[in-house]
Amino acid sequence: MRWTPRPRRRPVSSEGCLERLKREGRIVIVGASLAGLRAAETLRDEGFAGSLTIIGDEPYDPYDRPPLSKQVLLGRATADGTALPRRRSVDATWRLGVPATGLDMAAKRVRLADGDEVPYDRLLIATGVRARPWPREAEAELDGVFVLRTRDDAAGLARRLDEGPKRVFVIGAGFTGSEIASACRERGLPVTVAERAAAPLVGALGGVVGAVAAELQRRHGVDLRCGVMVTALEGDATGRVRAAHLSDGSTVETDVVVVSLGATRNTGWLAGSGLGAGPRGIACDAGCRAFDIRGIVTDDIYVAGDVARSPHALFGYQFLSLEHWGNAVAQAEIAAHNMLSESTDRVPHMWMPAFWSSQFGVNIKSVGVPSLGTEILISQGSLEEHRFVGVYGYQGRVIGAVGFDQAKWMPFYQELIETTAPFPPPFPTVDRRSEGQQPMDADFPDPSVPTHGPTVTLSGYSPADRRITFIPAH
């Protein structure tokens, strides 16, 4: 009997798979956020005609968050008036008010809080961050204790400020805490700010600039307490907050407390999924593809926005998590493009980090990553006048810059960062005063202090039996 080989099945080209994905594939976006919306619009712009599902834990269409700590608290806008403009119709199935609770990577399904499961061919995670709550639950539940992250948070806090509280107490002097204090002072409300560091903004901009921010707050009437921690919040018999107790033994009477202790990445729903997700976010490559827990890049799961941690070539390929508006837009558009592209057509996420803040009558804008710098040079203006540019250096090159009322100069310093210009800059700049002739220590907090990042344990006795597990940092 003569053996006849079976005809070999012709392999389906990756190009054919992508065309089928574009025609009839299923893409799920978890996160009805700025990044989620812009990704959905880009998918449709690039010819995706399949089914698109957008999942969000809040019951609202995507909205803009920066106005919440500025215009909304000042009464110049309402929280429900912050919806993001649509660049085009996305023709999506919206699952709003139903949080994602789990991910089955093998079955390619997202589990929802209502028990439903949503299948996908490609998944984009854009779940962002949430406000870090006050750690003592009973104190956090007191009437008058707020965080500020969501539309509902802003609406509730704005209503309470409209009532004219006798004092607002802000815990934390980062950018959000400082903007809240600024809005309260603009409304004529007494404000106390407690910050465990030596000055406001030191984590992002260092002690040199932080000292300017401290002077700015005090000049505008803020009772700024630095180098202290809040040890307890005290309520009255009706369950309303009445005082805050500090580590220096002092007590501040207050009827509104705003907890501004930073943010936590929304990755808890991915526990046990096998994805490389932890308190610092979801690790991904420069093309926005997520890593699994073993450090292997996935082909069908992408990440964008505040929840993403990706390497940046300009900053030593360090994995950066950027809570910046522009980054969320740029990364979402790149992730959407790469989801529908051949490997040779994919592009890296190389957006220059940049952010801005408006507080106490000053516009603050930054480019690059100042917190990676070890030195700072005041290249223009004067610290005393609260109008200056500070350039940050690391290992002999420009790594970041910040301007107080000098936003027009930031494109110039961005170009220095992008071209790895030497630090200190070897040329004179306009309006450099005597104080800026020499670099000085940028005075960032000690980088050796442990962070809240995850660690892993490795088990097994052979390469085939190796298992990695995330454990919380102590």
Side-chain angles (χ1 to χ4, degrees):
M1 182 176 179
R2 185 177 179 180
W3 175 73
T4 303
R6 293 182 180 178
R8 297 182 66 179
R9 180 177 296 176
R10 187 175 182 180
V12 178
S13 69
S14 58
E15 183 178 351
C17 290
L18 281 175
E19 287 304 313
R20 191 165 75 176
L21 173 68
K22 285 186 176 182
R23 290 195 313 270
E24 55 193 61
R26 302 164 299 181
I27 293 182
V28 173
I29 298 175
V30 182
S33 57
L34 170 65
L37 176 61
R38 295 297 179 247
E41 292 169 337
T42 303
L43 287 169
R44 293 305 190 197
D45 282 341
E46 300 220 356
F48 178 66
S51 72
L52 182 59
T53 303
I54 303 175
I55 299 166
D57 59 351
E58 294 185 65
Y60 310 117
D61 287 345
Y63 58 88
D64 206 14
R65 295 187 189 275
L68 300 183
S69 60
K70 302 176 181 71
Q71 291 94 327
V72 172
L73 293 190
L74 288 170
R76 298 171 183 166
T78 60
D80 58 5
T82 57
L84 287 164
R86 302 289 180 90
R87 300 193 301 205
R88 58 159 296 154
S89 171
V90 296
D91 187 24
T93 299
W94 294 83
R95 302 292 299 271
L96 300 177
V98 185
T101 57
L103 171 64
D104 187 334
M105 292 174 60
K108 293 189 175 184
R109 288 178 173 271
V110 176
R111 292 191 292 272
L112 304 184
D114 61 4
D116 198 4
E117 293 189 351
V118 184
Y120 65 85
D121 298 302
R122 294 284 190 277
L123 170 66
L124 175 66
I125 300 175
T127 47
V129 301
R130 64 183 182 278
R132 193 181 300 277
W134 185 244
R136 298 184 184 89
E137 187 174 349
E139 295 175 5
E141 293 296 325
L142 290 171
D143 182 20
V145 177
F146 296 86
V147 295
L148 180 57
R149 174 64 187 176
T150 69
R151 215 178 92 170
D152 289 342
D153 294 337
L157 179 56
R159 284 194 298 269
R160 190 58 60 91
L161 296 182
D162 287 341
E163 296 173 3
K166 62 183 180 182
R167 178 165 295 276
V168 178
F169 188 89
V170 182
I171 306 176
F175 280 101
T176 300
S178 296
E179 289 174 359
I180 293 167
S182 176
C184 290
R185 288 304 300 139
E186 192 166 339
R187 294 179 65 139
L189 299 172
V191 180
T192 296
V193 176
E195 168 58 49
R196 66 184 300 176
L201 312 183
V202 293
L205 300 176
V208 173
V209 177
V212 178
E215 184 181 340
L216 196 62
Q217 292 202 16
R218 292 186 172 115
R219 181 177 293 185
H220 283 80
V222 174
D223 174 23
L224 178 62
R225 315 279 187 96
C226 294
V228 298
M229 293 186 292
V230 178
T231 57
L233 300 178
E234 179 186 343
D236 61 18
T238 66
R240 186 162 186 168
V241 68
R242 64 171 298 274
H245 299 278
L246 307 183
S247 58
D248 61 3
S250 62
T251 298
V252 178
E253 292 188 358
T254 180
D255 46 356
V256 172
V257 173
V258 186
V259 180
S260 186
L261 298 176
T264 302
R265 269 72 186 176
N266 285 320
T267 59
W269 66 284
L270 295 167
S273 67
L275 206 61
R280 289 189 178 187
I282 304 170
C284 62
D285 69 5
C288 306
R289 294 182 300 171
F291 287 107
D292 70 15
I293 196 172
R294 302 165 298 169
I296 298 175
V297 71
T298 59
D299 292 322
D300 49 16
I301 302 177
Y302 290 73
V303 197
D306 297 358
V307 77
R309 293 182 64 229
S310 59
H312 202 302
L314 282 177
F315 305 101
Y317 292 97
Q318 291 209 37
F319 279 76
L320 303 178
S321 298
L322 302 173
E323 297 175 33
H324 303 161
W325 197 96
N327 177 74
V329 173
Q331 196 168 30
E333 292 172 346
I334 287 172
H337 168 82
N338 289 346
M339 291 172 96
L340 302 176
S341 299
E342 297 278 1
S343 59
T344 54
D345 294 327
R346 293 174 186 151
V347 293
H349 176 53
M350 294 285 287
W351 185 79
M352 172 62 65
F355 73 87
W356 69 277
S357 174
S358 179
Q359 51 187 267
F360 303 103
V362 173
N363 176 267
I364 303 172
K365 188 166 184 180
S366 170
V367 293
V369 187
S371 60
L372 294 179
T374 54
E375 297 178 281
I376 185 172
L377 173 74
I378 305 306
S379 59
Q380 293 174 233
S382 166
L383 295 173
E384 284 74 18
E385 296 173 5
H386 304 161
R387 181 181 173 86
F388 63 91
V389 174
V391 185
Y392 294 84
Y394 175 71
Q395 294 185 348
R397 58 160 290 198
V398 175
I399 201 81
V402 64
F404 275 45
D405 280 342
Q406 295 278 11
K408 67 180 180 180
W409 287 105
M410 288 302 104
F412 170 76
Y413 290 98
Q414 177 174 329
E415 184 175 352
L416 294 186
I417 298 167
E418 291 173 341
T419 55
T420 64
F423 179 89
F427 47 81
T429 52
V430 299
D431 194 30
R432 184 189 294 190
R433 313 294 174 82
S434 59
E435 67 185 68
Q437 295 300 320
Q438 296 296 326
M440 51 187 147
D441 186 344
D443 193 21
F444 280 99
D446 185 355
S448 66
V449 175
T451 71
H452 63 275
T455 55
V456 299
T457 58
L458 184 65
S459 61
Y461 297 95
S462 71
D465 191 37
R466 291 283 170 148
R467 297 289 184 272
I468 292 177
T469 306
F470 274 114
I471 60 172
H474 297 292

